[in-house]
Amino acid sequence: MDEVIATKDKGTEGIRYASLKKTRARAEEILEAAAVVFTVKGFDATSMNDIAKAVDLTKAGLYHYIRGKQDLLHAIMDFAMDAIEMQVLEPAGQIADPTERLKMTLYKHIHLFENYGTHVTILIDEMTALTPAHREHIIQRKRAYLDFVRNTLSELKAAGRMRDLDVTITSLNILSTIVGMARWYNTDGKMPLEYVSEQTIGWVLRGVLKDE
C-alpha cells in the first residue's frame, strides 16, 4: 500500500507527507490513463480491467484508489473542473477590464489542451454516464463557469462595447466553441495550439465586440 499512516512521532511527518504525495500522484496518473481509455473506447465499453492494465495495476490494486467506474468518471470530470477554476477562472478573475478578462478566459481555456485535453473531452462526452447526484454536481460547476462568462459580457454590454446580442445566448455559444474544441483539436496534429488560440479568440471577439 502506497499510503503510510504514521503518528506524529519524531521523523514520521516527513514520511507521511511523502507517502501521501506519492498516493496523490498515483491517483492523478490513474485519472489521466482512465480519461484516455474512456476517450478511445467510450465509458460503457471500458472495463475496470482495461483501466488496471493501462496503469499496470491488478484490478484489486486499482480499487485501492477508486471505488468503481462511475466514481472514477466523476473524479475525472471534477479534476477537469478544478483545472478550469485554477487555470482559467482564477487568473481571468483578477482582470478588471471585461474585454481583457474575456480574452484571458478564452486564451487560458484553449491552452488547457496542453495538459488536460483528455479530461476536458470526457467532460463533454460522458455526462449522461454519471449518476444523478454526480451529474448535478458537475452541472453546478459548469453553471458557475457560464455565470462568469455571462457577467463579463454583461459588463461589456453596460459599457457599450458589445454588439446587440443576447448575453445568455452569446455566453452559451462562447462556451460551446471553446469546450467543443475537445471534439476536434488534436494536440499531435498540424495546427499549433497558439495558432488555433489566436484564430479562435479573434473570431469570438469580432463577433461579440463592436468595431472600434
Side-chain angles (χ1 to χ4, degrees):
M1 188 186 297
D2 289 328
E3 184 175 359
V4 174
I5 305 300
T7 60
K8 206 170 182 180
D9 296 330
K10 182 179 179 180
T12 60
E13 284 187 329
I15 295 172
R16 185 175 186 277
Y17 174 78
S19 299
L20 290 173
K21 187 175 181 181
K22 181 180 177 182
T23 299
R24 284 194 295 269
R26 186 60 163 149
E28 289 185 9
E29 180 185 342
I30 291 169
L31 292 185
E32 174 64 32
V36 171
V37 177
F38 287 157
T39 300
V40 173
K41 299 189 67 172
F43 177 79
D44 290 334
T46 299
S47 68
M48 292 296 284
N49 283 330
D50 292 329
I51 298 166
K53 184 177 179 180
V55 292
D56 196 26
L57 283 172
T58 64
K59 190 174 177 180
L62 183 61
Y63 279 110
H64 169 67
Y65 296 94
I66 59 172
R67 289 179 290 182
K69 198 168 72 163
Q70 284 191 316
D71 283 325
L72 179 57
L73 179 64
H74 177 244
I76 291 169
M77 292 191 181
D78 225 19
F79 187 81
M81 291 308 304
D82 286 343
I84 288 171
E85 287 187 1
M86 292 185 291
Q87 304 293 327
V88 181
L89 299 184
E90 287 183 11
Q94 300 299 312
I95 299 174
D97 180 76
T99 300
E100 295 304 315
R101 190 188 316 137
L102 178 59
K103 289 181 184 177
M104 179 63 76
T105 301
L106 295 167
Y107 181 87
K108 288 291 189 179
H109 185 104
I110 292 167
H111 281 264
L112 283 177
F113 289 96
E114 290 176 322
N115 298 307
Y116 305 101
T118 51
H119 300 84
V120 176
T121 301
I122 295 298
L123 193 58
I124 62 172
D125 281 349
E126 299 290 358
M127 283 293 292
T128 57
L130 291 169
T131 65
H134 286 165
R135 190 181 307 119
E136 180 60 27
H137 176 238
I138 297 300
I139 286 172
Q140 289 296 330
R141 298 193 72 179
K142 285 184 173 183
R143 191 167 291 137
Y145 195 4
L146 173 63
D147 288 342
F148 180 87
V149 174
R150 184 162 44 202
N151 290 340
T152 298
L153 294 187
S154 294
E155 289 182 43
L156 286 170
K157 194 153 196 173
R161 299 189 213 172
M162 184 176 166
R163 295 184 186 277
D164 186 19
L165 299 168
D166 183 275
V167 168
T168 297
I169 293 173
T170 306
S171 299
L172 289 166
N173 279 324
I174 288 173
L175 287 182
S176 293
T177 296
I178 56 177
V179 173
M181 280 180 58
R183 296 186 185 278
W184 61 265
Y185 182 68
N186 180 6
T187 54
D188 298 323
K190 295 181 179 180
M191 291 186 290
L193 189 58
E194 196 62 41
Y195 175 74
V196 173
S197 173
E198 177 185 323
Q199 291 290 308
T200 304
I201 292 171
W203 177 72
V204 170
L205 295 181
R206 285 191 296 273
V208 172
L209 301 179
K210 291 180 178 179
D211 296 329
E212 294 183 357

